[in-house]
Amino acid sequence: MAMRNHSTIMEFILLGLSADPHVQALLFMLFLMIYLLTMVGNLMLLLGIRADFHLHTPMYFLLSNLSFVDLCFSSVTVPKMLENLVSEEKTISVEGCLILVLFVLITAGTEAFLLSMMAYDRYAAICHPLLYGQLMSDQMCLSLASASWGLGFLDAVINILPAVNMNFCEAQAIPHYSCELPSLFPLSCSEVSTNVTVLVCSTLLHGFGTFFLILFSYVHIVSTILSIRSTTDRSKAFSTCSSHITAVSFFYGSAFLRYLIPSSGSPLELIFSTQYGVITPLVNPLIYSLKNKEVKASVRRTL
């Protein structure tokens, strides 16, 4: 019922990345290629892990969940971008925009939790190798994956419920290729201080909470690795974490900047959104494939 309150403005205009038709055509080809590579890369990683029983371990179970989230994340944002690049009418209904915001928050939130769970997995493997089977049992892995999705959904609902009550009665142009919550606040003619407070608090709790879990895990991991006398063993231990650290840097760096800086419609906001919403799902399978011999071998066997 609350969504029917938006009686004055029924749709938004997504301004996208460029107004130049020639640039739009080039961007369409570029992002279509990125989307297809994202789909193929993540599907190959999923199939490779699924097909190779050697990879049926907690680390690769969480990695397969991350690939599935990346598939969903990319499919939430990129198709609408591609549609707007080739369409003359770059509109989206208010209800459709809020639904898009909901799915962006769910997938981005779930990815943040999964990355923290993967850090815990590395902590258990390196700091407590003798207890690894107990700390990362099959039941524990299922619980961690389910908790990631559940908490991501909860965070999204907490933010979307106040947003449903916003009224839009003047400006309707969104300087973005997709619908994101910070971009809607300047368009609202109703009071949004509560919405902003909820978003900032949830971002701090959700984002920094999961980030501190990752940081806590790696403080112990580094301490344990430095205590290893063998240079070869130390190098192997570091190599098992390098892919995860790279993925965390890509995702958290841009997501924090996007959701914590005030929305002004600047090109930087588009860059940050593109990095965590489009580029990160593309590079995650590359990061884990290029730096992991087992994954590369599995993908070759699958092909």
Side-chain angles (χ1 to χ4, degrees), residues 163-219:
V164 166
N165 295 316
M166 290 193 300
N167 293 312
F168 305 95
C169 53
E170 294 182 5
Q172 62 180 134
I174 300 177
H176 206 288
Y177 61 82
S178 181
C179 289
E180 289 187 342
L181 205 49
S183 299
L184 299 184
F185 293 153
L187 306 182
S188 176
C189 55
S190 56
E191 179 59 43
V192 295
S193 58
T194 301
N195 303 71
V196 174
T197 302
V198 170
L199 179 63
V200 171
C201 290
S202 67
T203 301
L204 291 174
L205 286 172
H206 187 155
F208 282 105
T210 53
F211 182 75
F212 280 128
L213 283 174
I214 295 171
L215 188 62
F216 176 82
S217 298
Y218 274 104
V219 166

Side-chain angles (χ1 to χ4, degrees), residues 249-259 272-273 275-276 280:
S249 302
F250 263 95
F251 179 78
Y252 276 88
S254 53
F256 276 150
L257 291 171
R258 175 67 186 103
Y259 279 89
F272 295 146
S273 295
Q275 182 174 329
Y276 88 86
T280 298

Side-chain angles (χ1 to χ4, degrees), residues 45-75:
L45 194 57
L46 275 170
L47 291 173
I49 293 173
R50 176 84 174 174
D52 193 340
F53 71 93
H54 293 102
L55 301 183
H56 293 178
T57 63
M59 181 177 73
Y60 294 109
F61 172 78
L62 294 175
L63 178 55
S64 64
N65 274 270
L66 182 66
S67 289
F68 179 71
V69 172
D70 281 336
L71 283 172
C72 297
F73 197 3
S74 186
S75 297

Side-chain angles (χ1 to χ4, degrees), residues 27-250:
L27 290 174
F28 176 82
M29 296 303 297
L30 172 63
F31 284 105
L32 177 61
M33 184 66 68
I34 289 175
Y35 182 61
L36 293 176
L37 289 174
T38 301
M39 294 294 104
V40 171
N42 283 287
L43 282 172
M44 287 305 303
L45 194 57
L46 275 170
L47 291 173
I49 293 173
R50 176 84 174 174
D52 193 340
F53 71 93
H54 293 102
L55 301 183
H56 293 178
T57 63
M59 181 177 73
Y60 294 109
F61 172 78
L62 294 175
L63 178 55
S64 64
N65 274 270
L66 182 66
S67 289
F68 179 71
V69 172
D70 281 336
L71 283 172
C72 297
F73 197 3
S74 186
S75 297
V76 167
T77 57
V78 181
K80 186 61 180 177
M81 178 203 294
L82 295 174
E83 178 192 342
N84 284 348
L85 286 171
V86 296
S87 174
E88 292 185 4
E89 293 186 2
K90 306 179 187 302
T91 59
I92 183 171
S93 67
V94 172
E95 291 82 1
C97 192
L98 291 174
I99 291 172
L100 194 57
V101 168
L102 176 67
F103 283 107
V104 167
L105 291 173
I106 289 174
T107 49
T110 303
E111 178 144 349
F113 279 111
L114 276 174
L115 288 171
S116 67
M117 301 307 174
M118 293 171 77
Y120 171 74
D121 170 75
R122 293 298 82 209
Y123 161 78
I126 293 173
C127 300
H128 302 285
L130 298 179
L131 299 175
Y132 182 71
Q134 299 176 27
L135 294 174
M136 294 300 293
S137 62
D138 291 344
Q139 185 61 42
M140 176 60 76
C141 290
L142 288 172
S143 298
L144 292 176
S146 301
S148 297
W149 281 99
L151 292 171
F153 182 79
L154 178 62
D155 179 72
V157 169
I158 288 172
N159 280 283
I160 205 66
L161 288 178
V164 166
N165 295 316
M166 290 193 300
N167 293 312
F168 305 95
C169 53
E170 294 182 5
Q172 62 180 134
I174 300 177
H176 206 288
Y177 61 82
S178 181
C179 289
E180 289 187 342
L181 205 49
S183 299
L184 299 184
F185 293 153
L187 306 182
S188 176
C189 55
S190 56
E191 179 59 43
V192 295
S193 58
T194 301
N195 303 71
V196 174
T197 302
V198 170
L199 179 63
V200 171
C201 290
S202 67
T203 301
L204 291 174
L205 286 172
H206 187 155
F208 282 105
T210 53
F211 182 75
F212 280 128
L213 283 174
I214 295 171
L215 188 62
F216 176 82
S217 298
Y218 274 104
V219 166
H220 285 79
I221 287 170
V222 171
S223 176
T224 301
I225 290 176
L226 292 177
S227 66
I228 299 174
R229 294 183 178 181
S230 171
T231 304
T232 303
D233 292 341
R234 194 184 305 161
S235 177
K236 286 181 180 179
F238 269 121
S239 67
T240 64
C241 303
S242 59
S243 298
H244 181 256
I245 292 173
T246 307
V248 167
S249 302
F250 263 95

